[in-house]
Amino acid sequence: MFVVSMSSSNLKKLFGVVCALTLVSLVVVFFVNSQSKVTIKKVSLHTAETADDRLKFISDHGWIVDEEPVEVRQIAIPQEFDDVYSNYNEIQLSQGYDLTKYAGRSAKRWTYIIRNYPDVSENEDYVRINLIVCDGKIIGGDVCSIKLDGFMHGFEKDSV
């Protein structure tokens, strides 16, 4: 049997050391977790009131698209984000947008076919770029494949 005897002043010191180590551990865990979150870039919202505005934005990101969108749809950004919208907003945050600022609002989604996606023939039409526009400004969007085993990422061509 092993017995340790400590004075109350030593016990207080030991308690202080344990508390300090616990605090340091919590700070380290918080720091590591905060580093694993999406890095938020700051972007200025681009005007998208005209077709030329939208096409310029798309070409500025390196994409070649058909001039006419394949779809223009009114969408509702939900007041409360479920897992799907939260995950989608992670893409937005990584490229400097934040759809939570528009929760409960309506917007338009403009969808264009991308003709120069890497390793995809320009004759294929399953790679799309979506622009989400609210009050004449681009507030988010993505590049995606509509194939069953598709993909989705931000606007940047180098994120492929």
Side-chain angles (χ1 to χ4, degrees):
M1 178 179 240
F2 184 68
V3 177
V4 175
S5 170
M6 294 185 122
S7 68
S8 65
S9 66
N10 284 343
L11 190 57
K12 287 179 185 177
K13 287 178 187 176
L14 179 62
F15 181 73
V17 168
V18 169
C19 288
L21 288 174
T22 301
L23 181 62
V24 168
S25 297
L26 289 173
V27 168
V28 167
V29 167
F30 177 76
F31 179 75
V32 168
N33 281 342
S34 69
Q35 295 303 306
S36 67
K37 300 289 183 199
V38 172
T39 302
I40 300 174
K41 292 176 15 179
K42 182 76 172 160
V43 295
S44 59
L45 298 181
H46 294 82
T47 299
E49 292 177 350
T50 69
D52 286 342
D53 293 337
R54 292 183 295 278
L55 292 171
K56 181 174 180 348
F57 177 85
I58 292 167
S59 71
D60 285 350
H61 285 85
W63 302 115
I64 297 171
V65 297
D66 294 342
E67 287 190 15
E68 291 298 316
V70 291
E71 182 180 62
V72 179
R73 175 172 282 183
Q74 197 74 25
I75 62 170
I77 300 169
Q79 187 67 45
E80 304 262 337
F81 284 18
D82 60 10
D83 287 344
V84 172
Y85 244 91
S86 293
N87 290 336
Y88 186 70
N89 201 47
E90 292 293 316
I91 294 172
Q92 305 317 307
L93 292 169
S94 73
Q95 57 186 358
Y97 300 98
D98 184 1
L99 294 178
T100 62
K101 295 177 181 178
Y102 301 90
R105 305 231 0 233
S106 65
K108 265 189 182 174
R109 184 184 68 217
W110 299 78
T111 303
Y112 297 84
I113 296 173
I114 293 179
R115 296 297 181 187
N116 66 327
Y117 198 84
D119 301 323
V120 176
S121 164
E122 69 179 57
N123 297 323
E124 296 182 85
D125 65 356
Y126 61 87
V127 179
R128 313 285 172 93
I129 185 167
N130 295 297
L131 306 180
I132 301 173
V133 178
C134 185
D135 298 329
K137 304 280 186 192
I138 296 171
I139 62 167
D142 62 86
V143 171
C144 68
S145 166
I146 60 171
K147 281 188 161 183
L148 187 57
D149 62 342
F151 56 82
M152 181 179 288
H153 59 75
F155 294 131
E156 294 298 323
K157 193 171 184 178
D158 62 4
S159 65
V160 176

